[in-house]
């Protein structure tokens, strides 16, 4: 269970460090330089170490005694395990979203899809923030806080592993099409098709990641 953090220097450091890891600014396999990072954030190493422990509890960092923290690297077994869990959780969430969504939920989902396409058309590397925003909007529509809590942790780890892999523009375009299909099924109030669309989407993302690893 992830330990709670107070709204403190450590809490602020968590969000900054999370961003550095998920965007790949601190790349997979790299060690976290505590001295350099503390200076950059303008904090002492105490709050920074608390932030590091918090992110390690989420699986975004690996702590090794006497060696410090590093960003984990992707391997095929880890990718498969994460997507097995993610598929079980998010297919259920997609079905619930189709049953429980409001018109406001549908509007939000469509807005994220439109923003993602604008970013893609502008040549932007498919940003993790928009992918997470889409899946978060779907989870909001599902209205299942327990599922949402677990999905967030799994999604972060997938984003982390993807940050170290090469870009694949055709895959990015296909992901946008997948998102549109999911929104259509959710908007139509069709739990079965929504769940199936999510399953196809995640299977393709998993396959693409495994190909990139190879």
């Amino acid at each position: 269970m992830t330990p709670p953090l107070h709204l403190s220097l450590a809490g602020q450091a968590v969000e900054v460090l999370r961003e550095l890891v998920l965007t790949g600014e601190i790349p997979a396999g790299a060690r976290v330089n505590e001295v350099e990072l503390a200076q950059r954030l303008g904090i002492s190493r105490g709050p920074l170490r608390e932030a590091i422990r918090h992110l390690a509890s989420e699986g975004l960092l690996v702590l090794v005694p006497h060696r410090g923290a590093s960003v984990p690297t992707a391997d095929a077994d880890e990718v498969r395990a994460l997507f097995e869990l993610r598929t079980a959780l998010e297919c259920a969430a997609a079905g619930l979203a189709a049953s429980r969504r409001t018109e406001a939920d549908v509007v939000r989902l469509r807005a994220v899809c439109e923003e993602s396409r604008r970013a893609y058309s502008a040549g932007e590397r498919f940003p993790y923030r928009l992918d997470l925003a889409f899946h978060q909007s779907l989870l909001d529509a599902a209205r299942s806080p327990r599922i949402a809590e677990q999905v967030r942790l799994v999604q972060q780890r997938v984003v982390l592993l993807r940050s170290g892999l090469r870009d694949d523009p055709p895959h990015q375009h296909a992901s946008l099409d997948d998102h549109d299909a999911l929104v259509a099924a959710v908007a139509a109030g069709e739990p079965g098709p929504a769940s199936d669309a999510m399953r196809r989407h995640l299977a393709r993302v998993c396959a693409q990641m495994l190909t990139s690893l190879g």
Side-chain angles (χ1 to χ4, degrees), residues 10-118:
Q12 296 170 40
V14 162
E15 297 312 315
V16 173
L17 187 53
R18 190 197 308 278
E19 183 82 5
L20 295 175
V21 169
L22 291 180
T23 58
E25 186 167 343
I26 302 178
R31 291 181 61 186
V32 176
N33 188 321
E34 291 186 14
V35 175
E36 180 182 297
L37 194 54
Q39 291 175 344
R40 176 176 176 177
L41 300 181
I43 61 176
S44 69
R45 292 173 70 179
L48 178 58
R49 284 173 175 169
E50 187 178 346
I52 288 171
R53 287 193 295 271
H54 185 85
L55 291 184
S57 75
E58 294 185 1
L60 296 183
L61 291 173
V62 175
L63 274 173
V64 178
H66 310 300
R67 295 189 62 184
S70 62
V71 180
T73 56
D75 65 64
D77 288 342
E78 174 73 357
V79 169
R80 291 189 187 97
L82 285 173
F83 274 90
E84 284 177 1
L85 178 56
R86 191 174 175 185
T87 298
L89 292 168
E90 290 203 71
C91 286
L96 290 173
S99 298
R100 299 174 177 176
R101 91 286 184 271
T102 64
E103 285 304 312
D105 292 323
V106 175
V107 168
R108 280 193 295 272
L109 283 163
R110 286 174 174 158
V112 176
C113 287
E114 290 169 4
E115 185 180 355
S116 297
R117 285 200 179 275
R118 283 195 297 271

